[in-house]
Amino acid sequence: DDGCWVFENAQFNADGIPTAEQESRWMFNQSLGEIEQVPSPIISAQNPEALPNLVEAVQGFFNAETVPLTWFMCGYSVATMQRQAVMKQDHAFPQMNAFGDVGGGKTTAAKVGASLVGMHGERQIITKFSESLIYEQVKSLGGVMMVLDDPVKKGMKQDSRDAVDNFGWSMYNGVSRRVRGNEQTPHTNVIMTSNVALGEGNQAIESRLLKIHFPERLVNEAEFPSLEKAMNEATGGLSQLLAIQYDRAAVREIRSRLLEHLTGSHSRISLSMALLVYFTQKFCDVAGVSFD
């Protein structure tokens, strides 16, 4: 609640400055998430070159058309770091849906965003939607973004698909789930990747999602080892990203400009897009990306 970040091997104060248990008075307790197997990110030594190295690797791996979309995944991850401040002021936070045909790199792009908080490993990516499991994760991982990969699969029954859509709807307002005395209140956000867009045909759900379409474009597989290395070291830039604060007035100013281009959409969409634009630009500024 005081804004301190407590990881297994590192701590930061609310402004992103490294601290320690003796100073913060917070202790990491491994056993709290052990039964539910809540993943615990390991934070790399802080390194001013971590984010520029990630940027270079992204540009080498992804197609030129999908590089900007990857910056949006990173921006969303940084926005999630400030979820507590956003929810306190706005009482809402959209979930991200990166969608498109196989081969566009959407899942890898989502993992790049997750790598900023060390949540890109295979054991940290949820590949099967379980309402109970995912609510325990979003309850426990405060501000640490997670990836739900392909929760909507071919041949899935409609009620199962509806459960995924309803999860996105509930997460928007941080709706709690109570099961057998266990209250699961969301404290983080999710990038959901899928071949088809989520929430289609249901305006209430669609207007609560940020949806980014990844066209089918070839990636440079030969550069994946470099990207993987950069992702594994990306948390070296975490202190720089945690220092980025939510500026409600700046987001509203961006929204006013976006409204000129979104005259036919729900009012929630422009606010969600403005939030994403604001934090994506902040990420680009810190990481040294030239991106309009």
Side-chain angles (χ1 to χ4, degrees):
D1 287 342
D2 65 0
C4 187
W5 291 79
V6 184
F7 295 97
E8 184 172 348
N9 70 322
Q11 293 192 18
F12 303 89
N13 69 17
D15 295 321
I17 299 172
T19 184
E21 180 182 318
Q22 293 78 5
E23 181 181 2
S24 71
R25 313 307 295 169
W26 287 107
M27 183 180 72
F28 181 88
N29 187 346
Q30 180 69 54
S31 65
L32 287 178
E34 193 170 5
I35 296 176
E36 297 85 1
Q37 296 183 330
V38 176
S40 172
I42 300 298
I43 307 303
S44 299
Q46 295 306 286
N47 176 10
E49 297 302 314
L51 297 178
N53 289 343
L54 181 67
V55 165
E56 183 178 355
V58 165
Q59 292 170 331
F61 176 79
F62 287 94
N63 183 278
E65 289 187 49
T66 50
V67 165
L69 307 183
T70 307
W71 304 149
F72 281 128
M73 301 299 109
C74 293
Y76 187 76
S77 183
V78 177
T80 299
M81 297 174 194
Q82 295 301 320
R83 182 185 187 277
Q84 182 170 282
V86 176
M87 289 296 291
K88 185 176 181 179
Q89 297 184 56
D90 298 338
H91 312 292
F93 206 116
Q95 304 311 292
M96 172 71 79
N97 176 208
F99 71 98
D101 291 331
V102 175
K106 60 185 180 296
T107 299
T108 304
K111 289 181 178 180
V112 169
S115 75
L116 300 179
V117 284
M119 285 290 289
H120 60 292
E122 292 304 317
R123 293 185 179 182
Q124 296 163 321
I125 306 298
I126 297 180
T127 56
K128 184 177 181 181
F129 181 79
S130 162
E131 191 175 35
S132 178
L133 168 66
I134 198 165
Y135 260 97
E136 193 61 31
Q137 304 269 25
V138 299
K139 164 191 171 181
S140 305
L141 293 166
V144 177
M145 193 208 75
M146 55 188 295
V147 176
L148 176 57
D149 187 30
D150 203 18
V152 175
K153 296 176 173 61
K154 188 176 181 180
M156 177 182 271
K157 293 181 180 179
Q158 187 61 45
D159 58 347
S160 297
R161 176 162 181 173
D162 289 345
V164 176
D165 285 342
N166 289 335
F167 167 74
W169 184 92
S170 298
M171 286 283 288
Y172 179 80
N173 294 112
V175 176
S176 299
R177 178 178 181 265
R178 184 183 293 274
V179 181
R180 295 184 293 277
N182 178 22
E183 184 169 330
Q184 298 170 314
T185 300
H187 292 111
T188 192
N189 304 311
V190 180
I191 292 181
M192 296 177 280
T193 66
S194 56
N195 291 340
V196 296
L198 301 180
E200 288 196 330
N202 188 327
Q203 189 179 26
I205 293 171
E206 278 202 301
S207 65
R208 288 172 167 84
L209 295 174
L210 274 166
K211 306 207 301 187
I212 303 291
H213 176 250
F214 277 73
E216 188 176 353
R217 298 290 185 269
L218 292 177
V219 297
N220 187 355
E221 290 289 357
E223 292 296 322
F224 183 75
S226 297
L227 178 62
E228 187 174 44
K229 181 177 185 296
M231 289 165 64
N232 290 338
E233 299 172 354
T235 53
L238 187 57
S239 61
Q240 296 171 270
L241 300 176
L242 293 177
I244 298 171
Q245 302 297 308
Y246 176 52
D247 186 335
R248 191 173 190 269
V251 171
R252 264 45 184 191
E253 192 279 326
I254 294 171
R255 183 195 189 191
S256 68
R257 288 188 282 133
L258 288 177
L259 282 173
E260 299 175 22
H261 309 280
L262 297 170
T263 54
S265 68
H266 196 285
S267 60
R268 293 191 193 101
I269 300 293
S270 58
L271 189 55
S272 297
M273 288 292 291
L275 184 74
L276 180 62
V277 167
Y278 172 79
F279 280 105
T280 300
Q281 185 63 64
K282 291 296 183 182
F283 165 80
C284 290
D285 292 344
V286 169
V289 178
S290 178
F291 174 48
D292 184 359

